[in-house]
Amino acid sequence: MSKTFRALRHPNYRRWAAGALVSNVGTWMQRVAQDWLVLTQLTQHDGAAVGITTGLQFLPILVLGPYAGVLGDRLDKRKLLIGTQAAMGLLALLQGALVLTGAAQLWQIYAIALLLGVASAFDAPPRQAFVSELVGRADVPNAVALNSASFNLARLAGPGIAGVLIGIIGTGWVFLLNAATFAAVLTSLTRLRVDLLHRSAPLPRGKHQIAEGIRYVRTQPRLVLIMAMAALVGMFTLNFQVTNALMAADVFRAGPDAYGLLGSIMAIGTLAGALLAARRKGPRMRLLVGAAIVLGVATVVAATMPSYVWFAIMLVPVGLASITFLNLCNTIVQLSTDAQYRGRVLALYMAVIQGGTPIGAPLVGWIANTAGPRWSVLVGGLAALAAGVLGVVALSRWGDGTLRDQLRSAWAARWSRELVGADATNGHIPPIEGPALAPPRPAGAPAPNKPVECKTPRAARPRTVSVQRNPTGSLPRVAGPRDRADRVRKA
């Protein structure tokens, strides 16, 4: 089987992926229908109301996410997912019934969005951790990437289908269709072969288990950096439900079909990014930082596009960069975390990446109402750029080969070239005696790994310095007169 789809060799993952794809199509249909319902039917194009609806759907994970992670480590993840998926299907059914009967009011949509958020808070952490049980550790990066590909393939089809159906049959029937799609994922969960699951030992009951997860994250600098970058991007950048609706309705004066098409066009980039991620052997932090920077630049450029067509075209690189960033975050978190902490750490990550939406989405909607929809998109781009800069600063302080070491090496090399330059007295370059060229060391002579002085006449050089090899063998350090005086005193 092609390495792009190697996770599909696991029977359990094939069943799971088939059910999830159908359910994801319905989920994207509901998101488009819900935003359009609030924006055009329940309010007079109020961007803040759309942001509040989106924020309420993600608020519970900020509060309940850590507890959901403990449950994911303690309970059977498959049974927990059956319960959460069934609850979300019933809420979609209720939402469709309210709209079709003409009884839907804004506060009711707010309440349903909040309840959906509660169910999602207990669903997301175990669902992310469940991937490693379906395929095993070796195929986790590929399975995470294929999950994203499935989600974005649904994103490619779902918004477009929803936009057409809203114009033909209305938003209520779209909600009912979404409720029906949950049957697919419930069927796949019940048909999994339990004997093929790669289960880890359940977490025993105990006190302060959430605090243990937080302490574990604090001891892992890589996880702390990912959490910080994800917080910035999740709070301000990943509000495309809000910003695309505002750009379509208020800037380009387009209808629901054009709004749905924006989501499908963006999914072209996200699907391509997910498939590219499936071919990678493993995640890299540098690629994560680069994805954040590209996401910021593409989003800023999209905010300045003069027409609907050009804005839609720019959503392709935005989608590509955003899914690359999210895939790398998810994969690095899973592979960098011990199995007994995985559920809690993923819960903290989901709380960070999605929990910022209750703050960011209403704020983005307020910015759109105050300064215009383009500014709401621009703020998201600047936030992603800030996350990228944070990553560059952090990586420059870690290990050999980082930006900081490269700059230090270049600076040290420049000083070395000056120190061993042409001899002012005879015009030739004096040879530097290294360990391979040095004659046999007489008794009592200093060891060859100690600093070797490079002396030139006083007339050619105002001071005496020496070049000392770095203990790691990679970066030279320039020693000045004070270092030489210290060595003389010690001798």
Side-chain angles (χ1 to χ4, degrees):
M1 182 177 292
S2 170
K3 63 180 182 179
T4 304
F5 303 100
R6 60 184 180 274
L8 293 176
R9 64 186 178 182
H10 301 274
N12 278 342
Y13 186 78
R14 290 198 299 269
R15 295 188 180 98
W16 163 262
L21 177 61
V22 177
S23 180
N24 286 335
V25 172
T27 298
W28 278 108
M29 291 170 59
Q30 170 156 337
R31 289 184 178 183
V32 172
Q34 179 177 271
D35 292 343
W36 199 256
L37 174 70
V38 173
L39 186 66
T40 62
Q41 298 181 35
L42 300 181
T43 67
Q44 297 296 323
H45 293 259
D46 188 349
V50 178
I52 291 172
T53 305
T54 303
L56 287 173
Q57 198 162 336
F58 291 101
L59 176 63
I61 199 170
L62 182 62
V63 180
L64 302 175
Y67 298 95
V70 173
L71 290 178
D73 285 337
R74 183 184 297 168
L75 303 179
D76 187 328
K77 296 179 179 63
R78 184 179 68 91
K79 294 179 180 179
L80 186 58
L81 290 174
I82 290 174
T84 56
Q85 292 289 317
M88 287 189 284
L90 291 175
L91 288 171
L93 184 64
L94 174 61
Q95 197 168 24
L98 287 173
V99 175
L100 288 176
T101 58
Q105 299 180 30
L106 184 60
W107 71 269
Q108 294 171 332
I109 302 303
Y110 284 166
I112 291 175
L114 182 62
L115 292 175
L116 281 171
V118 172
S120 179
F122 286 98
D123 177 85
R127 176 161 43 85
Q128 297 292 335
F130 192 52
V131 172
S132 60
E133 294 191 2
L134 292 171
V135 299
R137 181 179 178 84
D139 288 330
V140 165
N142 183 255
V144 170
L146 290 183
N147 274 358
S148 296
S150 171
F151 186 74
N152 288 285
L153 182 61
R155 187 177 189 174
L156 183 63
I161 294 173
V164 173
L165 291 179
I166 289 172
I168 298 175
I169 60 178
T171 56
W173 287 104
V174 174
F175 294 134
L176 293 184
L177 287 174
N178 174 50
T181 62
F182 281 96
V185 69
L186 289 173
T187 301
S188 68
L189 285 168
T190 56
R191 293 185 59 191
L192 293 179
R193 290 184 55 182
V194 179
D195 59 309
L196 295 180
L197 293 176
H198 302 263
R199 289 178 170 173
S200 56
L203 179 71
R205 291 181 177 271
K207 297 181 179 180
H208 312 298
Q209 291 177 328
I210 296 176
E212 288 178 1
I214 296 174
R215 283 196 296 269
Y216 176 81
V217 171
R218 290 175 60 185
T219 62
Q220 307 293 323
R222 178 179 296 187
L223 294 180
V224 173
L225 174 60
I226 291 176
M227 298 288 182
M229 295 175 64
L232 283 171
V233 174
M235 184 177 298
F236 296 106
T237 310
L238 301 181
N239 292 300
F240 301 117
Q241 290 178 249
V242 179
T243 55
N244 285 353
L246 293 170
M247 292 292 288
D250 295 344
V251 177
F252 304 119
R253 306 298 178 184
D257 53 344
Y259 167 48
L261 184 60
L262 287 179
S264 298
I265 291 175
M266 187 173 180
I268 296 174
T270 54
L271 179 60
L275 293 176
L276 288 174
R279 297 182 61 84
R280 286 195 293 267
K281 294 182 179 180
R284 292 178 297 174
M285 287 297 297
R286 289 185 181 181
L287 185 58
L288 173 66
V289 172
I293 294 174
V294 173
L295 174 59
V297 173
T299 305
V300 169
V301 174
T304 64
M305 290 295 98
S307 66
Y308 173 87
V309 173
W310 281 107
F311 180 76
I313 292 174
M314 280 306 303
L315 289 182
V316 175
V318 169
L320 176 62
S322 64
I323 200 61
T324 301
F325 176 83
L326 293 175
N327 275 348
L328 288 168
C329 284
N330 194 322
T331 306
I332 294 173
V333 168
Q334 293 215 38
L335 295 180
S336 302
T337 305
D338 295 336
Q340 65 268 29
Y341 294 101
R342 187 171 293 130
R344 283 169 285 177
V345 173
L346 282 171
L348 291 173
Y349 165 71
M350 297 302 295
V352 167
I353 195 69
Q354 296 183 3
T357 304
I359 301 173
L363 183 59
V364 166
W366 175 80
I367 292 172
N369 290 340
T370 305
R374 292 186 184 275
W375 280 97
S376 64
V377 181
L378 181 63
V379 168
L382 295 177
L385 283 174
V389 171
L390 177 63
V392 170
V393 173
L395 291 184
S396 69
R397 301 177 65 88
W398 294 348
D400 292 334
T402 61
L403 178 62
R404 182 188 182 189
D405 287 330
Q406 293 173 8
L407 293 176
R408 290 175 59 193
S409 179
W411 180 258
R414 174 179 176 272
W415 273 100
S416 299
R417 285 194 301 269
E418 291 184 2
L419 294 176
V420 297
D423 192 319
T425 56
N426 53 23
H428 73 277
I429 298 177
I432 299 179
E433 195 175 67
L437 303 177
R441 181 165 54 93
N449 61 344
K450 289 188 176 181
V452 180
E453 293 190 1
C454 302
K455 295 184 178 181
T456 57
R458 289 283 182 180
R461 180 173 44 84
R463 61 190 179 97
T464 302
V465 298
S466 62
V467 178
Q468 178 176 335
R469 185 183 300 275
N470 189 289
T472 62
S474 58
L475 301 176
R477 184 175 68 85
V478 178
R482 181 176 299 177
D483 297 332
R484 182 172 178 271
D486 291 340
R487 288 195 300 271
V488 171
R489 285 195 298 269
K490 291 179 181 179

